[in-house]
Amino acid sequence: MRELPTTRSCPFGPPDGAADEPMTKVRLDTGDEIWFVSRHDLVRQVYGDARFSSEIDGGSHGVPLHRTEPIPGMFIQMDPPRHTRLRRLVTGRFTVQRMKALRPRIEQIVADQLDHLAAQPRPADLVTHFALPIPSLVICELLGVPYAERERFQRAGAELMRMDTTAEQSDAALLDLSAYLVELLRRPPGPGLLADMIGTGLTEEELVGLAVLLLVAGHETTANVLALGTLALLEHPAQLELVREGKAPDAVDELLRWLSVVDVGLYRLATEPVEIGGRQVAAGEFVTSSLGAANRDPSVCERPQELDVTRPRTHHLAFGFGAHQCLGQNLARMELDIAFPALLRRLPELRLAVPLSSVPFRDQMAIYGVHRLEVTW
């Protein structure tokens, strides 16, 4: 039995061998033997089937997969009806209409951050001075978290995303972030979603869990798409020009599909026997997938291995699928849709300042991307 695919020979593609078989058994480094799915239709089936539970933990930090009681408020780990109750409380804050109302403010944040980046000595780290601050500022304003206190939640969030730490280190990071958020909620927070959630019947524990989820997920994913996407465009100059010139209205979705920064590691537990792709998953067995491999399935689009920013939007799975599909996808799309062309127009001579082989990729993180991206112009 082979190991779970994790090694990438191409920094923009899914792990090597992820698409070799539509569905097979693999072994985790914890010793767990689980099902691994990579075909687009089968991945959709797994994440769209309520017989697969999300109320599990482990699979990283050396902890075997197991059924667990979800952390209060952390609805990404919950099944209905608990998941439904919490998600409904915040869904209305992330509608397309609400996101459009935020567009002028996000455009201003991007413009301000470009001024900051342009003033840096060269070479400059695009992650530190552009890709990370933009979604951090946006999610802080949306939630009512002071941006001046970002170092504490960013440090804890980054630790929680690591897959090469111990369970004790991960727990310590969660406790640190939770303690900060308890302090914030008792102040109380500034105007925003968290302040609005006070008085809705949520316990303090639920409010903290909800805040952890929205705060970390709200900036980690978008920041990594923005940094890794910029690198991908720099490595594909013809595609970069199309984005700069505004000739690729669906470029963001193509980059989301092609990069798939959230890839392997979304685990599910079969609560009863389920047939997937002609294979029988027994009750009590675990399943994971490669969203990156699924997004490059030939059924998704023609020439799926190629980056083509003029490609019409596809039915990609970069935001997941089913009940747990990314709540903030409208916000993420808009931030990226504003930031990519603004960056490329403001700095038309933007280029890598180091060889591609020297770029430090986030190979040991739950959300893929780059740790740093040294650029000049």
Side-chain angles (χ1 to χ4, degrees), residues 182-366:
V182 167
E183 175 193 323
L184 175 68
L185 289 165
R186 290 176 180 176
R187 289 181 205 172
L193 190 149
L194 295 184
D196 292 348
M197 290 296 106
I198 297 172
T200 59
L202 294 178
T203 66
E204 184 175 77
E205 281 188 316
E206 287 177 319
L207 277 168
V208 169
L210 183 67
V212 168
L213 175 60
L214 296 177
L215 193 58
V216 175
H219 78 275
E220 276 280 348
T221 47
T222 306
N224 281 288
V225 175
L226 186 49
L228 188 63
T230 299
L231 177 58
L233 291 172
L234 290 173
E235 291 294 300
H236 295 79
Q239 303 292 304
L240 183 150
E241 285 302 319
L242 290 167
V243 175
R244 191 203 318 271
E245 295 168 6
K247 296 179 179 178
D250 292 315
V252 164
D253 269 272
E254 173 65 354
L255 286 163
L256 287 163
R257 178 197 73 83
W258 198 66
L259 297 172
S260 300
V261 299
V262 179
D263 187 8
V264 177
L266 298 176
Y267 298 106
R268 295 290 186 268
L269 171 66
T271 57
E272 59 182 87
V274 185
E275 184 177 314
I276 300 286
R279 311 292 291 274
Q280 191 73 21
V281 178
E285 288 190 312
F286 292 92
V287 181
T288 192
S289 69
S290 171
L291 297 181
N295 282 336
R296 295 186 179 210
D297 190 307
S299 68
V300 175
C301 57
E302 295 181 358
R303 300 172 285 102
Q305 301 298 333
E306 295 181 19
L307 175 64
D308 178 2
V309 295
T310 65
R311 193 191 305 275
R313 185 180 294 187
T314 62
H315 296 292
H316 66 73
L317 301 172
F319 291 117
F321 186 75
H324 290 283
Q325 190 173 40
C326 177
L327 178 70
Q329 62 180 287
N330 295 322
L331 177 61
R333 276 194 178 97
M334 185 168 63
E335 289 178 79
L336 296 167
D337 188 55
I338 293 168
F340 278 124
L343 170 66
L344 300 177
R345 290 168 188 160
R346 175 66 181 274
L347 302 176
E349 300 301 320
L350 187 71
R351 60 190 184 277
L352 269 182
V354 297
L356 179 62
S357 59
S358 298
V359 175
F361 290 93
R362 293 165 53 104
D363 295 307
Q364 297 300 323
M365 307 293 280

Side-chain angles (χ1 to χ4, degrees), residues 10 22 24 26 66 84 93 116 136 151 164 214 235 261-262 350:
C10 172
T24 188
V26 297
H66 59 279
T84 310
R93 289 299 186 129
H116 170 77
S136 295
E151 184 177 338
D164 58 353
L214 296 177
E235 291 294 300
V261 299
V262 179
L350 187 71

Side-chain angles (χ1 to χ4, degrees), residues 35-52:
W35 289 102
F36 181 72
V37 184
S38 62
R39 202 173 77 195
H40 186 267
D41 62 323
L42 302 185
V43 174
R44 284 171 60 101
Q45 186 178 345
V46 169
Y47 295 126
D49 193 323
R51 293 173 293 179
F52 287 105

